[in-house]
Amino acid sequence: MGWRLLNALAVPSKPGLTTTQLMLTNYDLKPVEPERRQWGPWNFVGFWIADSFNINTWMISSSMIDGGLSWWQSWLCVWIGYSISGAFICMTGRIGATYHISFPVVSRASFGIWGSMWPVFNRAAMACIWYGVQSWIGGNCVKLMIRAIWPKFENLPNGLPASSNTNTRDFLSFFLFWLCSLPAIWFPVHKIRHLFTVKAFFVPVAGVAYLIWAIVKAHGIGPIVHQGGTKAGGALGWAIVSGIMSSIANFATLVVNDPDFSRFARKPRDAFWSQLITIPVGFAVTSFIGIIVSSSSTILYGKTIWNPLDILSRFLEGANGAARFGVFIIAFAFALAQLGTNIAANSVSAGTDMTALLPRFLNIRRGGYICAVVGLAMCPWNLLTNSATFITYLSAYSVFLSSIAGVIITDYYLVRRGYYRVEDLYSAQKLGPYYFTAGIHWRGYVAYICGILINIVGFVGAIGKPVPKGATYLYNLNFFCGFLVAGGTYWALCHFFPIPATSKRWMEIGDEIGDVSDSSRDEEQGSVDKLDETTAKSVEIKV
């Protein structure tokens, strides 16, 4: 009875696979076949335009301006930070676009067949937490939509106890957003590009309309664009560095999991320029709109309001039918923006990661729904009781993913020089090039831990504990510190303790990917390079 139940719960797989193979591959983990490589350059443009327009991006300049920068200095930080993020995205994205494999499979080359489980779990856990937080923010958008139609919703009687830390109105809004998000998780990744295309057209138009409405309503753009910064000298320099790093930290999770999407690219070039250009442009434009609208709010309400939903809520005070309709449309655009961001950055990422953790029973769809259930069960409103501290903690914690990125990027570009033996990434043969020691690559883990240690004291300070000032300054360069230390350590270890399956020349063979389900081979035969003889002779490859 128990075995029948397990077999009934298992996802479809190719007949004849061993138990070990079933722990390493399924339909969603295998390299994307040509039929599913449907993402062209414009799909990536639409994806990032859609992702850039969200409430977090809208408010990203707020802390910089409140910290003493002028509006143009903060905006410059956004441009620089997201340009750097775009470059990192392209570096990891190329791996997926070339070999058409996801982040969990890519991490096997750097951390080992079984050692990859920890980085994957790390990313999946963060995605589940962020899914709940982003859904709560999306619920605030739904609340505004309902208030625009039914003003009395603001005073909806509360039937929940005080110990719940929420009320009926807010929970209902959150649950409606959460519920309406579920259908979007159903669709395969190569098809949800259409959601981002729709969002890329509709949401920016609503944002520009919001900008014009705020300026007209305030009869001007407000004082923020005229006020100068309050920082000078070294303090100004560190404030700018902090602003740039906060922009990069906002992208840390997406840097490591971009292969989850880029693997659906038709060719590597489709995932390069489209991402490198669209990321800084999209996020800079969105933050600029946020600066101007918030500046206009100073004229209207006597204080600067950075949250766009709070400004919309003020617009509803004494509003006529036309104004309520406008608020509804803009709030709907923000809700759609949150949905797209949640799918792209959280549910797909968590689903892909969970697939690697338990491939026999989970696929991206099931993993996405587990992520949604965890996001609901975690009661995100409790975590946001002290919103500033919690968001700081999550953002700071995500920076540690820079160590993972440092190991993966160094492994691919400097150590292996673009050469992967994809079939071996799905094999647990002890003589395989990615099995290392008991399936764990100790060099990758040593480098990963070193990247964490350089930031750990500053991280403690970021969540409110007293630390030496030097550690704070070092932590201001958190992403670069973690990335460079982890990457440098990994390169040095691989130099003095060489690893197999590397090329002495640049060598990408993504077009030669075969059926990975046939990757099981006799241990006595070892792991044999399956390149044809002509290709093998054209480069020097260490097997």
Side-chain angles (χ1 to χ4, degrees), residues 8 46 72 87 119 154 163 184 190 212 244 257 274 282 296 361 372 375 381 404 430 437 460 465 469:
W72 67 265
E154 175 68 14
S163 59
H190 64 282
I212 296 172
I244 293 172
N257 80 283
S274 55
S296 299
F361 298 101
W381 57 88
I404 297 176
K430 292 183 179 179
T437 305
V460 172
K465 304 297 183 182
K469 197 169 233 183

Side-chain angles (χ1 to χ4, degrees), residues 22-23 26 117 353-363:
L22 289 172
M23 295 172 65
N26 65 17
M117 295 296 184
D353 294 341
M354 291 184 196
T355 298
L357 295 175
L358 203 59
R360 186 174 183 181
F361 298 101
L362 295 178
N363 53 25

Side-chain angles (χ1 to χ4, degrees), residues 227-275:
Q227 72 184 32
T230 60
K231 298 285 188 181
L236 173 61
W238 279 112
I240 290 175
V241 167
S242 180
I244 293 172
M245 297 311 300
S246 67
S247 299
I248 298 174
N250 199 36
F251 244 60
T253 54
L254 292 168
V255 166
V256 297
N257 80 283
D258 191 62
D260 294 345
F261 293 93
S262 66
R263 65 183 176 136
F264 294 97
R266 294 171 189 145
K267 50 186 178 294
R269 186 173 63 236
D270 290 345
F272 182 68
W273 291 109
S274 55
Q275 298 193 99

Side-chain angles (χ1 to χ4, degrees), residues 372-389:
V373 171
V374 172
L376 175 66
M378 61 180 267
C379 302
W381 57 88
N382 286 327
L383 298 177
L384 291 170
T385 301
N386 188 343
S387 177
T389 300

